[in-house]
Amino acid sequence: MVKQQIIEWIQAYERIIIHRHVRPDPDAYGSQAGLQRMIQLSFPKKEVYIVGEEDPDLHYLARMDEISNDKYNDALVIVCDTANTGRICDQRYKLGKKIVKIDHHPNVDPYGDLLWVDTDASSTSEMIYELFLAGKDNGLVLDAQAARLIYAGIVGDTGRFLFPSTTPKTFTYVAELVSYEFDRSELYDGMYNVKQNIARLRGHILKDFTISDNGVSTVKLPQDILATYDVNALESGQLVRTLGDIEGIIAWAFFVEEKPGLIRVRLRSKGPVINEIAARFNGGGHPLASGATV
């Protein structure tokens, strides 16, 4: 029933502003921009904006809108793929008349006036497609551009369908999405082509990594190392899967110095639950993929 209520709210509001989390990934962009496109197609007279700090590495998916504060007056705000309020990119979300939360992370911070949280979903993008399925008989429309964005979000958050969050339902949905005509090869190039500086830093990590007796590996990337390879802290997120295929590593952590006194921690696991650890350090996420800030 919550999906129908979200659709009713979308139908009722003339202005809709869609947010997502800081340090975005393809699922954050895919769900945010995919939802925007779907609403624009379905209700051409509505104003629909996507906001947040841009990541240049995700420009192949979408560009953000720049809007003034007064746009939030009487607006419906939808926050995608964000578990807690501290991670919402652009804190002006509070200025909206009503707030909807759509997310697939554990509901540790049940914010908003209307919440749809499904921890069994592979991604928030998968949930956006479910929203389309729930509302297509009531006017919701999808096209190739929206399908491309949603597909990218699902591919990104399932690790190209390798992660346990991938379900038979996920494969059913992506089979339907690829029936829309968009260039998957071009999309994969945007998602997985690696710049030379990233590749060289990856080589540095692979050359020097260690594994503890109980299968833990840690990587420290202080600012001087990042500078040596001309990689910024945001780009370092592309490196977190570097250790995922190495035999003997059960869990790993990347410590990235974003600026003096602030370290971004990216945690990954092949089994042990790690999001409870992240939650103790101003973070959170999925049981096997989390982050924190110290």
Side-chain angles (χ1 to χ4, degrees):
M1 295 302 292
V2 67
K3 285 176 277 191
Q4 290 301 326
Q5 193 170 355
I6 292 172
I7 293 168
E8 290 172 6
W9 283 22
I10 289 172
Q11 291 172 327
Y13 280 82
E14 293 306 311
R15 186 181 300 121
I16 299 165
I17 304 170
I18 308 171
H19 290 242
R20 41 80 183 159
H21 60 75
V22 297
R23 304 183 187 92
D25 55 14
D27 187 32
Y29 262 52
S31 58
Q32 181 189 31
L35 178 59
Q36 179 197 34
R37 179 64 177 172
M38 183 171 69
I39 297 172
Q40 288 173 331
L41 288 168
S42 309
F43 309 103
K45 294 184 179 180
K46 294 185 185 296
E47 295 179 54
V48 191
Y49 303 102
I50 53 175
V51 299
E53 184 177 353
E54 290 202 326
D55 181 346
D57 288 329
L58 293 172
H59 282 173
Y60 68 90
L61 289 176
R63 300 297 299 269
M64 298 295 108
D65 298 311
E66 294 185 11
I67 61 173
S68 57
N69 290 353
D70 60 4
K71 289 291 187 182
Y72 285 85
N73 295 337
D74 296 320
L76 174 65
V77 171
I78 302 176
V79 183
C80 292
D81 198 38
T82 312
N84 56 292
T85 54
R87 297 196 72 236
I88 299 174
C89 194
D90 194 334
Q91 289 288 304
R92 293 182 297 171
Y93 79 93
K94 303 170 187 175
L95 302 176
K97 187 170 183 180
K98 292 287 186 181
I99 299 171
V100 176
K101 175 183 182 181
I102 302 178
D103 189 33
H104 72 129
H105 298 92
N107 196 22
V108 295
D109 183 1
Y111 62 85
D113 303 290
L114 182 60
L115 289 73
W116 178 26
V117 177
D118 182 1
T119 56
D120 292 326
S122 71
S123 56
T124 303
S125 295
E126 181 177 297
M127 297 172 68
I128 298 303
Y129 187 67
E130 280 196 357
L131 189 68
F132 161 70
L133 294 177
K136 64 179 182 178
D137 292 335
N138 294 318
L140 291 189
V141 179
L142 209 68
D143 69 353
Q145 181 180 335
R148 175 182 181 273
L149 289 161
I150 294 168
Y151 178 84
I154 295 173
V155 170
D157 248 33
T158 60
R160 287 179 275 189
F161 314 113
L162 292 174
F163 298 159
S165 60
T166 308
T167 65
K169 180 173 68 174
T170 307
F171 285 116
T172 298
Y173 289 170
V174 297
E176 295 171 6
L177 286 165
V178 298
S179 69
Y180 293 84
E181 292 187 5
F182 61 89
D183 190 335
R184 275 182 283 160
S185 295
E186 176 268 338
L187 177 62
Y188 290 143
D189 285 345
M191 296 182 75
Y192 297 113
N193 275 359
V194 176
K195 295 178 182 176
Q196 292 185 29
N197 58 335
I198 299 292
R200 295 182 192 284
L201 180 51
R202 183 174 291 169
H204 168 82
I205 292 167
L206 289 170
K207 179 171 66 75
D208 293 337
F209 78 90
T210 59
I211 309 175
S212 73
D213 291 341
N214 49 5
V216 176
S217 185
T218 58
V219 174
K220 298 176 183 178
L221 296 176
Q223 286 196 310
D224 61 334
I225 292 293
L226 294 175
T228 297
Y229 291 92
D230 193 25
V231 174
N232 62 45
L234 189 62
E235 291 173 322
S236 71
Q238 300 173 48
L239 297 161
V240 72
R241 294 177 185 166
T242 299
L243 303 180
D245 296 327
I246 296 175
E247 183 179 3
I249 295 181
I250 298 171
W252 62 101
F254 275 61
F255 297 90
V256 182
E257 186 181 21
E258 294 195 337
K259 59 184 180 181
L262 183 66
I263 297 173
R264 171 69 175 168
V265 187
R266 302 178 187 276
L267 303 172
R268 297 295 185 269
S269 172
K270 296 178 184 176
V273 173
I274 53 174
N275 59 347
E276 295 171 0
I277 298 171
R280 284 189 254 156
F281 297 94
N282 306 309
H286 300 290
L288 304 183
S290 301
T293 304
V294 295

